[in-house]
Amino acid sequence: MTAPLLSSLAAPGGDRPDALTVGGRALSREDLLGAAGAVAARVAGAPVVAVRATATAETVTAVVGALLAGVPVVPVPPDSGPAERDHILRDSAATLLLTGDTGVEAPIETVPVDLTERAAWTKPEPDPESTALILYTSGTTGAPKGALISRRAVAADLDGLAEAWAWTPDDTLVHGLPLFHVHGLVLGVLGALRTGSRLVHTGKPTPAAYAAAGGSLYFGVPTVWNRVVQDPESARALSAARLLVSGSAPLPAPVFRDLEQLTGQRPVERYGMTESLITISTRAGGERRPGSVGTPITGVRTRIVAEEGAEIGELQLTGPTLFDGYLGRSEATAGSYTEDGWFRTGDIAAVDPDGFHRIVGRASTDMIKSGGYRIGAGEVENALLDHPAVHEAAVVGAPHDDLGQQIVAYVVADGVGEQDLIDFVATQLSVHKRPRKVRFLDALPRNAMGKPQKKLLPPA
């Protein structure tokens, strides 16, 4: 049976003055509980509250306080423009915006978070089935949708990851990820609070900040890890860590290998999305392969639905970490499930004979059908990234009169020509997987988590 979400907040070591350090501000767990209790007293009874999710101790306090009070939390990216912010506030029906900053203008009442305030909160934990978080998707297919995440789902996910990563109160978790996503907020804050581990949020995830933090467990996205390996001195400082975890986008194989060479250990990769939280991961004590995200965590089952004869297909899953639907969008919720109740991730994957999962990409942009072949864009991207002159790569399928789709590669590279890269891929993969066109860019368009935004690429 899963323990209540906040059951470990007062874990042993709670009086340690630096149990949590966020943006340079250190708090003990006792400090956090006291300040969060004051927030809980102020927001209790509200239907929904929003939190301006800066990388600060005030954000952590606001989220914990609302969760103590049983009020659903809507994290709002601090860099969101007025249109995006107002859509999130209006769509979620939030009545209060909690913030640690002064002078924030918003269309709803703002509530300042003061870390010096204290109040005891003694009410029991809310129903595990109640909503903990309303997390807004990236909006790549329209206006962002609010995914309803229950307290039960968060607790089950964090327990599954603690088991997979041997995550204990003895760990010090270090990361510098945004606090409005699953990775930075759910795993990177609530995970530390639930397991009882110490947390150091570095503010910005720079190699130097990671090296100086002295952690045993590190979280990063591929962009972070790529910057780390570009700073060998900082990378070598992480050799004392127990686990380096990468997620939110596929980790390029060259970065995987460089991390191993510089730190002495292979990174752990995992897979998840807003609607499902983190469902698949390699294990702390198991094999770690480049390009693989491992096997499902406890309680999660997966299946691949592929066309006859195809090795890759849509990844579908079921388990206790799934969301409860999109807020106010019953049609979109229904469309995200199969008739027999499995969640459709929209991601294309393959499963090796030993059960290890490989994510090829999104069905909408990364499944390329060319000349009768089904090709995963991710495989071609990794092949390109193996070329020493290529720094970034994104592959798409573009309409073609004869092939149906032709493979087009967008790369950031130095001193290499189009035909050189086409020929290189043809020597690494099957010839039919080579790009037909290569376009050179100064940089790939990316979102806040470092994921390439293929819909923003220039026309092929």
Side-chain angles (χ1 to χ4, degrees):
M1 182 176 177
T2 301
L5 175 58
L6 300 178
S7 61
S8 300
L9 266 182
D15 57 348
R16 178 172 175 158
D18 60 349
L20 297 94
T21 301
V22 184
R25 178 70 180 262
L27 296 174
S28 69
R29 285 178 175 249
E30 183 179 359
D31 290 336
L32 174 63
L33 278 173
V39 171
R42 297 182 71 177
V43 305
V48 178
V49 299
V51 174
R52 189 170 184 271
T54 55
T56 61
E58 284 83 358
T59 291
V60 175
T61 300
V63 170
V64 173
L67 292 176
L68 284 172
V71 180
V73 177
V74 182
V76 179
D79 61 350
S80 59
E84 180 186 0
R85 180 203 63 189
D86 291 355
H87 165 76
I88 292 173
L89 296 177
R90 182 175 59 253
D91 188 73
S92 66
T95 57
L96 302 170
L97 175 64
L98 306 181
T99 177
D101 299 318
T102 58
V104 174
E105 295 184 3
I108 61 175
E109 180 184 353
T110 60
V111 176
V113 177
D114 184 348
L115 297 180
T116 66
E117 285 189 297
R118 295 288 183 271
W121 185 265
T122 58
K123 294 185 179 180
E125 281 230 14
D127 184 350
E129 299 302 321
S130 63
T131 299
L133 301 164
I134 305 175
L135 300 177
Y136 275 77
T137 63
S138 59
T140 55
T141 57
K145 301 186 292 289
L148 300 168
I149 312 294
S150 70
R151 302 173 76 94
R152 167 193 46 75
V154 174
D157 194 58
L158 295 176
D159 289 350
L161 293 174
E163 178 185 34
W165 299 339
W167 189 359
T168 74
D170 295 329
D171 279 307
T172 293
L173 169 63
V174 176
H175 73 92
L177 302 173
L179 299 188
F180 47 87
H181 286 292
V182 168
H183 199 168
L185 178 60
V186 178
L187 276 63
V189 172
L190 299 182
L193 295 176
R194 186 165 177 83
T195 60
S197 69
R198 182 170 171 251
L199 168 64
V200 177
H201 191 288
T202 59
K204 293 184 178 180
T206 65
Y210 272 37
S216 61
L217 175 62
Y218 284 80
F219 291 168
V221 298
T223 300
V224 170
W225 294 124
N226 182 57
R227 291 172 180 168
V228 166
V229 299
Q230 300 304 315
D231 183 346
E233 183 179 354
S234 293
R236 292 188 187 99
L238 303 186
S239 60
R242 185 178 65 79
L243 215 62
L244 309 178
V245 180
S246 183
S248 297
L251 184 68
V255 178
F256 186 106
R257 291 193 294 267
D258 288 346
L259 274 173
E260 181 181 15
Q261 181 182 8
L262 291 165
T263 68
Q265 63 167 295
R266 294 185 158 205
V268 161
E269 292 192 70
R270 86 311 180 274
Y271 166 82
M273 54 195 306
T274 302
E275 293 89 342
S276 68
L277 303 181
I278 308 307
T279 51
I280 305 170
S281 180
T282 47
R283 301 303 199 262
E287 183 181 358
R288 307 172 198 176
R289 302 175 191 164
S292 173
V293 294
T295 56
I297 67 171
T298 297
V300 173
R301 291 185 294 147
T302 65
R303 69 185 185 188
I304 303 295
V305 178
E307 296 180 26
E308 186 175 353
E311 296 180 356
I312 58 177
E314 184 186 41
L315 174 65
Q316 299 178 358
L317 53 87
T318 186
T321 68
L322 286 174
F323 75 144
D324 290 332
Y326 296 111
L327 178 65
R329 288 170 170 79
S330 56
E331 268 190 40
T333 300
S336 66
Y337 284 88
T338 64
E339 290 185 1
D340 57 349
W342 288 66
F343 177 66
R344 304 183 59 178
T345 67
D347 284 321
I348 302 301
V351 180
D352 295 335
D354 59 2
F356 272 58
H357 290 57
R358 290 180 287 111
I359 307 300
V360 175
R362 293 294 294 171
S364 57
T365 57
D366 296 324
M367 171 69 89
I368 301 170
K369 297 181 180 180
S370 181
Y373 295 101
R374 295 174 182 84
I375 302 155
E379 186 179 20
V380 184
E381 289 163 358
N382 273 331
L384 286 163
L385 289 166
D386 267 334
H387 193 288
V390 175
H391 307 299
E392 300 180 67
V395 169
V396 301
H400 189 274
D401 291 340
D402 180 46
L403 298 171
Q405 286 183 306
Q406 65 174 344
I407 300 173
V408 179
Y410 294 81
V411 301
V412 179
D414 297 318
V416 66
E418 178 180 36
Q419 194 59 49
D420 294 329
L421 292 179
I422 292 172
D423 294 343
F424 179 78
V425 173
T427 65
Q428 304 297 306
L429 305 174
S430 301
V431 174
H432 68 264
K433 296 180 180 179
R434 72 192 186 283
R436 301 292 177 135
K437 292 175 64 177
V438 177
R439 291 204 56 181
F440 294 92
L441 302 177
D442 293 331
L444 296 182
R446 296 179 181 272
N447 66 12
M449 297 301 286
K451 293 182 182 180
Q453 299 298 282
K454 294 187 177 181
K455 292 186 177 182
L456 300 181
L457 290 168

